[in-house]
Structures are given as C-alpha cells and as structure tokens.
Amino acid sequence: MGQEVVKGNRPVIAVTMGDPGGIGPEVIVRALADRGLRRTARFVVLGSESVLQDAALCQRIEPYWWTVAMDGWSGAEFSVQDVVVMDTDRGWGPIGSAREATKAGGMYSFRLVDLAVSMAREGALGVKADAIVTGPISKEAWSLAGKGKFAGHTELLASRFGVKRVAMMFVGPRLRVVLATVHVPLMDVRNVLTIGRVFDAIELGVEGCRSVGIERPRVAVCGLNPHAGEGGLLGDEEERLIGPAIAHAVEAGMDVRGPFAADTIFGAAVAGKFDLVVAMYHDQGLIPVKLIARDETVNMTVGLPVVRTSPDHGTAFDIAGKGVADAGSMAAALRLAGAARRG
C-alpha cells in the first residue's frame, strides 16, 4: 500500500458508484462489460461488491472485475486486471440499495466522491487517479445526509480541489453546451448572473473544447430573455451583462459571437455553425442537450486540475434494479475521461 499504480500509457480512472439505490451500479456494470472500452484505461470502481453483483445479475452479465477490500489493496492487481472494484462492503460495511433517496445512501455516495478526490489529489489507497467518473447521486439524499450545502458534484469538486472557477459542460456527438449558472432557481438567475460569470463560462468552455481536440472553437452565447432581449424591450441583461462579457472574450482572442436568441441558436450549432453554445441557466442548455442525444452526452466539469466526467442523467430510482437503464451516457463518460487532454 502507498505505492502509486503506473501501467503503460493508459490513464487510471476512479469511478464512483453513485447512489446505491439508483441506476449508477447498473450502467457502470453494463458500460464496462465492453471489452474494447476496458482496454482504453485502468478502472478503479469505488463501490459495494454486493450491489454491483446484483446489478450484474439483473442484466445477466457475468462479473468481469477483480475485487479487493479497501484495506487489502496492493496495486499489483493492475498488472493483470483492467477493472478493479475497491469493495466498500469490506471497509465501510454493507449499504443496501433502497430505491429512494435516503440519508444512508446520500452519505455513502458523498463519501465515494471524497475518496475519488483523494485518489486524484494525493494518491489515496495507493492509487493516483488521472480522472474521475461519477455515478449519479440524489441531491435530496445528500440533503438528508446533511450535505445540502453542496448542490451537486460540481460544487463539491470545486470545494475539494480548492478552485474558484468551474463550469458544467455537456459534450455530445452533435452539440456541446456550457452553463453560466447551474443549480440556481429560475427566479434567482437574473440576480446571480454577472459579466464575470458569463465570461468564465465562455473561457472555461473554450478550455473544455480544447481538451477534447477543438483548438479554436467557434462559440455562440445565448441571451437570457426571449429574443435575446429584443433590443432592451424584453430585458436589459443582454446589453448590461452578456454583451460586455462577449466583448472581453473577443479581446482575449476567443472566437465568440452573440448574444443570440436561445430558441434558434442551438439549431445552428447542431448544423455545424458553432462548436460550443454558452447557456445562461440550467434548463436553457439541458433541454436541447437531452432532446438531441441524451444517451450519448457526457457531463464534464471544466476548471478542475483533473478530468471529471459523468453521465448526463440522474439516479432514476423508478427503474433501478430492473436491468433496463441505458448505459450509453456512462460509456461515453468513461471513454471521454480516458481520452480528454489533462491540464
């Protein structure tokens, strides 16, 4: 223990199981059942062996991973195994899998993220992770567990890595979107939106595009109001906040245009006229993303010192344990985590 794992040029990816009662265990098991995907990186799955076994059983998948206890890891497992499950049952105790938001499930999924951060930051448990892939968590469960001050993964990861600027970016085969505000009630968006927030989203989105191979992305910025404010008739945020942020980005050498009416600009991006759309609030960006390619799109946190990705869906308690969850987004998240440029 304590020795970092290095195996060829393949990155080491820490994968958190997410809420034990959600579909996270199922989509991780199904995604990594693809042998081609398993060969792209070394995967350390942080989770409950018993829950993962159940997830495999409900999907009729023969378990393909090597399991080690949290206190029994040596690092040698990576010499022959592409997927290692670091079993929390033999360390934290069994967790169960209630198909609803619970205090226990919230605390468990929160601890998994903290463990993955420690692996990426300082090589906890003898594993220096190059990237983190997070399974879906329940924000309600985190609140029940007393962790409600973190609205989600993005906020927790920013806090743990000590970074002030992060953004939530969604990467799909036909559309890439970054958000200026994330988990903010719609009525409060206009009160928290600033020139700095919009500029940060543009700059971090450009950084995210470069990490996936688009060196000089063409960026379109949405307005906040209908028709991008209609010249001030439907709101002044475009002229007062968004326009100045765009001007600063252009001065910094970025290819940025807007603000555009949100009801038309996503279509232009899908048609190939832009590489990235900057949305002002959560649903403005997420509705087109999930409509166009829900099961192929990846949530990527930009601004962190390590790559972090996740599927673009939630826990889906209503279908968990039935073996019907689509693993496409998780598979895409695992692939992107291995392929994205770091630093």
Side-chain angles (χ1 to χ4, degrees), residues 108-313:
Y108 178 81
S109 60
F110 189 92
R111 290 180 70 189
L112 291 180
V113 180
D114 263 344
L115 179 55
V117 168
S118 296
M119 291 167 63
R121 196 172 52 194
E122 62 248 8
L125 300 178
V127 185
K128 186 66 170 68
D130 299 300
I132 297 171
V133 177
T134 54
I137 57 94
S138 164
K139 296 175 179 61
E140 180 185 356
W142 276 20
S143 180
L144 291 171
K147 305 300 182 180
K149 72 174 183 177
F150 299 105
H153 281 116
T154 303
E155 294 80 3
L156 175 60
L157 291 166
S159 174
R160 293 298 190 257
F161 281 107
V163 297
K164 294 183 178 179
R165 298 196 317 152
V166 293
M168 184 181 288
M169 181 171 169
F170 293 84
V171 180
R174 300 167 63 197
L175 181 64
R176 285 165 292 275
V177 175
V178 66
L179 305 181
T181 65
V182 184
H183 300 121
V184 178
L186 185 58
M187 293 295 289
D188 295 336
V189 170
R190 71 183 306 272
N191 298 322
V192 302
L193 198 66
T194 63
I195 295 172
R197 273 184 180 258
V198 179
F199 177 81
D200 286 349
I202 295 170
E203 187 173 47
L204 291 170
V206 168
E207 176 187 312
C209 284
R210 289 173 178 161
S211 76
V212 297
I214 305 171
E215 291 302 324
R216 184 162 174 76
R218 300 160 298 164
V219 182
V221 181
C222 292
L224 174 66
N225 299 297
H227 306 293
E230 198 73 70
L233 295 176
L234 301 178
D236 67 351
E237 286 80 11
E238 286 73 18
E239 297 179 1
R240 183 168 54 87
L241 305 174
I242 302 171
I246 293 171
H248 289 322
V250 171
E251 290 173 4
M254 290 175 266
D255 183 359
V256 187
R257 283 172 261 176
F260 295 105
D263 61 354
T264 59
I265 195 57
F266 289 99
V270 170
K273 296 180 180 179
F274 295 97
D275 301 300
L276 175 71
V277 178
V278 181
M280 294 300 104
Y281 58 92
H282 188 277
D283 285 11
Q284 185 184 62
L286 268 291
I287 289 172
V289 163
K290 294 191 176 184
L291 180 65
I292 292 169
R294 176 186 178 91
D295 295 322
E296 300 173 87
T297 299
V298 176
N299 176 3
M300 180 169 68
T301 304
V302 287
L304 298 174
V306 299
V307 173
R308 177 262 170 167
T309 66
S310 75
D312 72 341
H313 56 69

